[in-house]
Amino acid sequence: MTTTLKSRLQADLTAAIKARDELRSSTLRLTITAITKEEVAGESARELSDAEVEKIVAREAKKRREAAEAFEKGGRAAQAEREKAEGEVLAEYLPKPLTDDELNALVAEAVREAAAGGAEGPRAMGAVMKIVNPKIAGRAEGGRVAAAVKRQLAGG
């Protein structure tokens, strides 16, 4: 049985090929390849869960963002646009990113939870991250989360 996210990616790839949508089909093809590679890595082949597939899609989207930034810095606007467009295709398969307000609310809750457990001040960073990361699950980048945690720990 294939995961629902993986089968959606494959169905969308077929549709993109039929529609002759080169950007979408090549982006999805590369992402599905990354998923398949992950499935056969290790001792034995296995099916990935939707959460694992989502992590791979997020990783691929992050690669596109970083490549777009690198191309922009190098003055290669056409390649940067292509990478951004591919990133936008992949974003459709990811949960909606958290707004700053949503992120700050989750972090504040985690800080209170950590404080209740005895972890306070800047040294509580690890405890807070451990509490907040599962709640965020791919809806905000790690650096953004860490910065929000640091801000709240410094202020609180």
Side-chain angles (χ1 to χ4, degrees), residues 57-108:
V57 174
R59 188 173 65 214
E60 292 295 311
K62 184 178 181 191
K63 282 183 194 171
R64 301 305 188 288
R65 271 195 310 279
E66 290 170 351
E69 286 171 19
F71 281 132
E72 274 177 359
K73 283 183 186 144
R76 296 169 69 186
Q79 289 95 332
E81 284 309 308
R82 168 76 185 208
E83 294 291 338
K84 279 183 188 160
E86 289 182 5
E88 285 165 19
V89 167
L90 294 174
E92 295 170 27
Y93 299 94
L94 295 170
K96 203 166 109 352
L98 292 170
T99 64
D100 287 341
D101 290 343
E102 291 167 329
L103 176 61
N104 289 331
L106 283 171
V107 169

Side-chain angles (χ1 to χ4, degrees), residues 7-147:
S7 45
R8 184 178 145 210
L9 287 164
Q10 288 169 324
D12 289 356
L13 171 61
T14 304
I17 291 169
K18 287 179 182 166
R20 296 197 182 337
D21 184 339
E22 192 276 329
L23 171 78
R24 181 171 284 277
S25 60
S26 74
T27 303
L28 293 177
R29 192 176 282 122
L30 285 168
T31 304
I32 291 168
T33 300
I35 292 165
T36 306
K37 217 156 96 181
E38 191 75 26
E39 286 176 332
V40 297
E43 297 286 308
S44 59
R46 64 189 182 91
E47 281 289 325
L48 298 179
S49 68
D50 263 1
E52 290 171 309
V53 170
E54 199 174 277
K55 273 189 186 138
I56 294 169
V57 174
R59 188 173 65 214
E60 292 295 311
K62 184 178 181 191
K63 282 183 194 171
R64 301 305 188 288
R65 271 195 310 279
E66 290 170 351
E69 286 171 19
F71 281 132
E72 274 177 359
K73 283 183 186 144
R76 296 169 69 186
Q79 289 95 332
E81 284 309 308
R82 168 76 185 208
E83 294 291 338
K84 279 183 188 160
E86 289 182 5
E88 285 165 19
V89 167
L90 294 174
E92 295 170 27
Y93 299 94
L94 295 170
K96 203 166 109 352
L98 292 170
T99 64
D100 287 341
D101 290 343
E102 291 167 329
L103 176 61
N104 289 331
L106 283 171
V107 169
E109 189 182 308
V111 168
R112 282 192 298 276
E113 224 173 289
E120 286 185 45
R123 291 189 305 279
M125 181 88 184
V128 173
M129 291 297 283
K130 209 176 284 172
I131 294 167
V132 85
N133 275 337
K135 295 177 183 173
I136 288 170
R139 296 183 298 157
E141 282 191 10
R144 214 178 125 209
V145 176

